[in-house]
Amino acid sequence: MKTPVGLVTAALTVAILLALSFLIATGTRGEQPAFDSSAGELEVRTIARGLVNPWALAFLPDGTMLVTERPGRMRVVSVEGQLSPPLKGVPEVWASGQGGLLDVIIDKSFAQNRTIYFCYAERTEGGGRTAVTRAKLDDGNGRLDQVKVIFRQQGPLSSGNHYGCRIAQADDGNLFVTLGEHFTYRDQAQGLDNHLGKVIRIAPDGSVPSGNPFVGRSGAKAEIWSYGHRNAQSLAIHPASGELWEIEHGPRGGDEVNLIGKGKNYGWPVIGYGIDYSGAKIHDATAKDGMEQPLKYWVPSIAPSGMAFYTGKLFPKWNGSLFVGALRGAMLVRLTLNGNTVTSEERLLQNLHERIRDVRQGPDGALWLLTDSSNGRVLRVAPAAK
């Protein structure tokens, strides 16, 4: 006769065997959680892994990708997920705090000129600043050539925070770049005599386009396009309207989606919808004459990073939506738009439990994401196979 302990042991053995049989029969479904959405179930595939805090992704014409890693590496990632060795020729970056190698884009005429642009935290005496660089990609030989810094941020230096550093290229070839206010110097965002807390517009060679709003104004930096920003890590041009959209981090609350207008003031730190990390009040009010209101804001913060307007065919129900990565929120956010009005929000991939640093639409119509961790991944999001 079995003892009670023996009976329990036998029962546990049977239960374990049944559980294993179920997992084998169901194809180990526990390894792939279901990701529900308004467009049906989503399939999330890991294309590449082993990236250290990947920050930005840019598709090349052949479908391969450039991916930056914050410690200062840039790699080519194949469609199958193979990682190239780090490209040679990348300048030394200051990988401290939030700084490092950050955004990268390819030129609109890349197929002809092989030109890319990237931005990073550059160490200088006393701290760091955002630098923007142009280079030629020679991926066949695993290197960057003709590397040249075309812009350096001017103003009080960062101790490691709030670099901004997203780039978008307009149809005319000019570059828009977000520049953070370095956290400690938030009041500088309201001054025109520095580049902190600004969106700038520069030509591909770094010169100032003649149509910039503060060209010729005494005491103002000619590169400035808009001001009163905090720390914008999302920037994109609307594919239909050609308008510039920006998303920036608030403090405790007050992340903002903004439609960027020439010469306009977006209020930081005078107006806003958040409070300081200590709980102290920052803003005079939530609105003030001469300062722009966001199209949407989040309280509490989701810590937005990366953005993409969707125009693909894999998700016809989502055509025209704006997708935003979330770091603190650990999710992908879809915003439904009616013109320039945000009409609804859908929170996706929350059971993935990953900080989403960048989101791009791929040439295949899928959504491609970067996860922000020491073992970061490239993810492909597509409709689940029926």
Side-chain angles (χ1 to χ4, degrees), residues 37-42 309-323 334-337 346 361 364-367 381-384 386:
S37 79
S38 61
E41 191 172 336
L42 304 177
F309 291 99
Y310 188 75
T311 60
K313 296 181 179 179
L314 278 186
F315 298 104
K317 289 182 64 175
W318 288 350
N319 202 273
S321 294
L322 174 59
F323 286 89
R334 183 180 72 87
L335 300 179
T336 303
L337 307 178
E346 181 178 10
Q361 178 182 311
D364 58 355
L367 292 166
V381 182
K386 300 299 182 183

Side-chain angles (χ1 to χ4, degrees), residues 214-294:
F214 302 108
V215 169
R217 180 166 167 175
S218 177
K221 296 296 184 186
E223 297 88 354
I224 296 173
W225 186 258
S226 63
Y227 63 108
H229 301 289
R230 188 171 183 266
N231 184 29
Q233 294 184 6
S234 308
L235 190 70
I237 293 174
H238 193 290
S241 69
E243 294 173 311
L244 184 67
W245 289 51
E246 171 258 24
I247 305 177
E248 63 188 70
H249 289 245
R252 283 178 57 188
D255 302 335
E256 294 183 359
V257 180
N258 289 309
L259 178 63
I260 301 301
K262 178 179 178 180
K264 291 186 176 179
N265 180 356
Y266 289 81
W268 175 259
V270 180
I271 63 171
Y273 293 88
I275 57 175
D276 213 339
Y277 296 109
S278 66
K281 179 182 176 182
I282 296 176
H283 312 296
D284 295 349
T286 56
K288 195 168 186 177
D289 288 345
M291 295 182 178
E292 301 301 308
Q293 283 292 301

